[in-house]
Amino acid sequence: MKTKFILFVRYFLVLLFVYAAVSKLVVFDEFKVQLTQSPLLSAYAGSIAYMVLLIELSISLLLVLEKTKLLALYLSYGLMVAFSIYIYLILNNSDFIPCSCGGVLEKLGWNEHLWFNITVCIFTLLAIYFLDTKAKSFYFFSVLLTLISVLIVILLFVSSEHIIKKQNPFIRRYLPHGVAEKDTLDLNVNTFYFSGYYKDKVYLGNTRSPLRFISVDSLLQREDYLIKIDSTQFKYTYLRLKTAYPYFYLADGSIPIVYKGQLNTTQKTKQTEVFSFQQAYFNDFIPIDSTSVAIKGQSSQDYKNVLGVINSKNTPSVSIFPELLQSDSDGVFDSDGAFSYSQSKENLIYSYYYKNKYFITDKNLVLLKRQNTIDTTKTALITATELASGERKMTTPISAINKKVVVKNNLLFIVSNSLGQNESKAIWKQASIVDIYDFKKDSYIASFYIYHLGKEKLKDLIVTDHYLYGLFDQKLIRYRLAKSLTDKFD
């Protein structure tokens, strides 16, 4: 009876390992991608993919041979313990649970898979007990293999997490359901952009009609507003609306004037006052609080980008911080980027467009730390030529790797324009990719897809307490954020 049981376990394991190995070989590239998405083994996906196949096939061969059957059973037990600990860690210590693995167990969920593995471990251990005539060696090697298997998986997990979150070699881990599409609102025109939010209400400016804006609440109810300014004689070229509840700001940096108004009034026509006049030219700005606005401009001497703050309480009201921007070449395109502001953390984040860097300051633009994204583009690969006027023109245009950056509390949401390791170019024809970072912990969290709306790509987004809103041509789409993301808000 014992002999038949041992034989049954041996050939069951051979069937299990060979079928699993062959299933992986048939779709080997997909298998490597699945390992890349593992919350525990992402950093070692390439090596582990080959090692698992080699180990499964080698153990299968040893199981068939009579002389090595005991060794093979011990190795099988150790391997199944490692698989079991791996699944346990995914279920209990992972930021998210990926899709179940393929092969012979493709129909099982993770919990069922864990119980299957535990059952196989018990049967394998029982077969070893019947086969190994020396009780001391059985107990010693069983305990030793259990400890070694557990230790190996835990060490792989800890080191992989450190690499992915701190030293990422551009390996993305995708949340299976990072966002779920909920509702759609037809805006009728395609000239809106997000200017800010308050709780779950978003505000949208209009590039074609800069003195008009709308709000959309949690029920997707739209309200239209008109902005009244006194100085209409200026030749504005690009008036932009930014909101920082309860205030809104309207500015065109080519005209050195910033208007300020209040959102928390019942009037449909919003009155404004001059917040700043003839104090600074700029090409981008972001409100910080009721008295200060961060700006990005260009030096009048060398046209290089500079950052500054307009503070209505200070004298002088404008402070410039030329040392903040780090340049690799021309100081114009390679240092170009955009501001985000976390009101809850009172931090400004400046993200470079063309390289994998961003930095964090306090509300007074005092540098706190510099950090990197998982993209491997460390230097902006841009060539430019200087015009007679002294301005510079890009001669080899390239796409921004950080197309759009928004912040919510401690998290950065970056719409990336770069392919990571083991990623298919086909997906870029179907979706935009959003990478998420915790800028307070200096760590990469995960990524998710926002699929195109027909032929329309995502052109703008904003994140609120519970939702992500996306703009696609004339449509506003509201997505619910996964709990695994909202739990990360600090």
Side-chain angles (χ1 to χ4, degrees), residues 427-456:
I427 196 63
W428 292 90
K429 298 179 181 179
Q430 307 170 37
S432 297
I433 294 175
V434 181
D435 300 325
I436 313 150
Y437 301 84
D438 186 331
F439 70 84
K440 298 300 288 186
K441 296 180 180 179
D442 186 16
S443 66
Y444 164 71
I445 294 176
S447 304
F448 59 85
Y449 297 118
I450 297 181
Y451 286 92
H452 302 334
L453 193 63
K455 294 183 179 180
E456 301 300 331

Side-chain angles (χ1 to χ4, degrees), residues 194-237:
F194 290 116
S195 63
Y197 73 95
Y198 176 65
K199 294 184 177 178
D200 278 323
K201 176 181 282 190
V202 294
Y203 297 93
L204 296 94
N206 193 322
T207 56
R208 184 174 296 172
S209 303
L211 298 183
R212 296 181 181 275
F213 73 97
I214 66 171
S215 68
V216 177
D217 63 19
S218 59
L219 299 176
L220 289 193
Q221 298 296 312
R222 167 179 169 168
E223 289 190 76
D224 289 68
Y225 302 93
L226 180 67
I227 300 173
K228 185 177 180 181
I229 60 177
D230 293 331
S231 305
T232 57
Q233 75 275 15
F234 294 121
K235 293 182 179 180
Y236 301 107
T237 58

Side-chain angles (χ1 to χ4, degrees), residues 271-289:
Q271 302 294 326
T272 60
E273 61 182 18
V274 175
F275 172 80
S276 169
F277 181 57
Q278 290 186 341
Q279 293 173 331
Y281 292 91
F282 52 89
N283 49 41
D284 194 14
F285 76 102
I286 191 167
I288 299 173
D289 53 33

Side-chain angles (χ1 to χ4, degrees), residues 360-376:
I360 304 158
T361 74
D362 66 10
K363 60 195 303 182
N364 298 311
L365 275 187
V366 174
L367 180 66
L368 300 178
K369 50 186 173 180
R370 298 183 186 273
Q371 297 176 172
N372 296 327
T373 67
I374 59 174
D375 193 289
T376 52

